[in-house]
Amino acid sequence: MRRRATSTATSMVRRIVVVGLVLAFLALACLWKLASIQLLDGRSIAQAATARRTLPVTISASRGRILDRNGTVLASSVERYTIVANPEAISSFEPVTCTTSTSSYCHQINGKPVGVKGAAAVARLLAPVLKMSALKLGAMMSVSGQYAVLKKDVTPKVMRKIEALNLGGYIYGELSSDRLYSSGTLAGALIGGVNDDGDGVAGIELMENKVLTGTDGYKVYQQGLGGEEIPGTVTKSKAAVNGSDVELTIDSDVDWYVKKVLQAGVKKYNADWAIAAVQDVSTGQILALEDSDSITAGSDKAKMSVSRAVGTTFEPGSIGKVLSMSGMLQTGVRKLTDKFTVPWSIEKDGQTYHDAEEHVTSKWTSSGILQQSSNVGMIMAADKYSDSDRYKYLTKFGIGQSSGMGIPGESSGTLTSSDKWDGRTRNTVLFGQGYATNVLQITNAIATIANKGVRVQQSIIKSVTAADGTVTTPSKGKSVRVVDEDVASQMMNAMESAAENYDQFAKVDGYRVASKSGTAEVAGSDGTLTGIVADWSGITPADNPRFVITVVIKNPEGIYGGLTAGPLFKEIGEFLMQKYQVATSKTRTDAIPVTW
């Protein structure tokens, strides 16, 4: 019995010793690991923790503004935030009860406890600030993952309210921007818009996207649980450079009035649409470029459309007679005092031509042919005006060519070379048919006459101001002399006589005007020549040219340009004279005879 008891005791001692040794070994292993972590791996672990907290943050650059020539802001970018939730963290969120010691980071609603946990609690806190349903917010945050967008385009004021909710680490805001357009439908399609990434996709926004777009910066620093910057931890940074401001040559006051006149004109004449351009004679700057459409800048329609005033082409009709007559004078084949006996119709090259209205055979000078807008007279006067010169001078006036301004969607129109003209086209080009132009081209062609025969490069960008205040003016193409100054002066005289024919409808009170009307048939919806384009392009004042105004109207009741587009020209002209306080004209005394 004693031996058995001794043996049992010995066995137990052995077991105790073994267990003790095992425990001692484990203790030593733990001590070694702890020492290793603290003494050997501590630095690398601390570095890893710091690395996890140290993140690069993009500093977004603001897109530049678009302004009119007077500094009125047409488009600008404002600071906005995208509110983001961390659903994974929110699932374990527990509101902190408000006490004296927790008042700086506690959670409550109207002074009362939140009452729930997790996504429901966060939703209840956020709902009043975001003006959203708590139920909807809770569902949006009850998903897997660490990233869920709750709301976009949140203002800085709302963002500050969210920050006051003490939800750092659960809810945060990503800085973005929103493009605002104060211009509304004023030049809406011309200004265009930007996509979701803030890049210009249409109009001026696309045309000037490179200079409007800034360069993002960045900052590298350690972040707290809520993504906030830990003071003194910035290691790298680069400031953002905002985009440049683009100042247009457009005068928003003039543009607004032009649009108002066009929309009223479309209604008055029951027309399809109307477009207009106003150009400064000496500089080539575009003060207004409008149409009767109602397209809001920045809208989806603005992003997908081309301004009608930029993309629409048409036959100019009798306005083209100004260009042909100028070429005849410049080449010396005609003088404005040359005399003609002009019938109502004529046959030429196997084709029959006639004037718009039937008349008795009349005795008109070249100036009278322009005044009476006679197609037959133009054909008679051009008997020695070669096809190559007909094409040459249309080209020199800019017909069939881009304006050179680079406006997206601008059409160059059509003008085929003279060697491809048939027997009819060679004559119809004399009176503005057989080729197509746009409102910018025909405006600059008439401005060439007003500018003493020199065609200047048109412009719609006045200046660009960089973020550092540096102002640059876009380079302009060289001016081109199209006709001699004396020829331009004679044509101004003849155009003034043409304008006087419509004094009852298109006279700018107190000012002399040099103008030409036009009417041309265009294809209707069935493809046949059932449509009408009526236009008018005029210079005012004629004795001291300041502006060229061109108005084009599609399918107006009243048909003729002088009776429809002319009155709209009158309204715009009177507004310009008053706005810019232009001195009234002197009495005309030098009219070239129109009859003999």
Side-chain angles (χ1 to χ4, degrees), residues 160-177:
R160 287 192 293 271
K161 290 181 179 180
I162 293 173
E163 290 171 344
L165 294 175
N166 302 318
L167 294 174
Y170 303 100
I171 303 293
Y172 59 95
E174 292 181 343
L175 181 63
S176 63
S177 65

Side-chain angles (χ1 to χ4, degrees), residues 8 25 31 62 142 218 232-233 304 322 348 354 372 376 507:
T8 300
F25 178 78
L31 287 172
S62 179
S142 299
Y218 65 87
T233 62
M304 299 174 65
V322 173
K348 184 76 172 179
H354 59 77
Q372 297 299 321
V376 173
K507 180 178 176 58

